Amino acid sequence: QLELVESGGGLVQAGGSLRLSCVASERTFSNYDMGWFRQAPGGEREFVAAIRWSGISTYYADSVKGRFTASRDNAKNTVYLQMDSLKPEDTAVYYCAVDISMKAIPARLPSLYTYWGQGTQVTVTS
């Protein structure tokens, strides 16, 4: 059972930055594409970003493109989400997840991800 632990969330003013980390419990992490999702109060879980197992390709929701950057360090079993120019509408619980399907590109639907972290709260004040 692959376990994921997110960290790095917090309270930040609009325009600020945060860097989320997600550490996996097993080395098999490096074989899989990883996704970042978020869920605001009363909202559905939505796709934020994904990164291929190799780290070469990344994918972003239009709402965060140009502001967020996904990266990974497979030697450390860790994936990151650098969030810059944060906006109040970015406030949510952020989750990392593992896509074990090994498709050509990472999935964007939460239902296609198998393993999830517990989430980390990000709050952006205006």
Side-chain angles (χ1 to χ4, degrees):
Q1 179 90 5
L2 186 63
E3 296 183 352
L4 305 172
V5 178
E6 300 102 335
S7 62
L11 180 68
V12 64
Q13 287 189 330
S17 298
L18 284 173
R19 188 196 197 200
L20 305 184
S21 298
C22 171
V23 181
S25 60
E26 298 181 9
R27 299 289 283 180
T28 52
F29 153 88
S30 62
N31 297 331
Y32 302 123
D33 299 340
M34 296 291 296
W36 285 98
F37 293 80
R38 66 187 181 187
Q39 188 165 14
E44 296 185 351
R45 195 164 296 190
E46 64 174 6
F47 172 80
V48 174
I51 184 167
R52 290 284 278 154
W53 64 271
S54 62
I56 291 177
S57 299
T58 52
Y59 308 83
Y60 300 96
D62 288 344
S63 59
V64 306
K65 200 173 293 183
R67 300 188 298 120
F68 290 12
T69 304
S71 62
R72 67 192 296 164
D73 185 341
N74 286 340
K76 295 182 179 179
N77 289 3
T78 303
V79 62
Y80 304 97
L81 185 67
Q82 177 67 40
M83 305 187 297
D84 299 318
S85 301
L86 282 161
K87 304 175 181 180
E89 51 264 44
D90 294 319
T91 295
V93 178
Y94 283 71
Y95 300 88
C96 63
V98 180
D99 176 3
I100 65 171
S101 66
M102 294 188 176
K103 292 188 174 62
I105 59 174
R108 295 192 177 219
L109 291 175
S111 59
L112 298 180
Y113 283 74
T114 303
Y115 301 107
W116 290 82
Q118 83 290 351
T120 185
Q121 176 70 46
V122 172
T123 303
V124 185
T125 60
S126 57

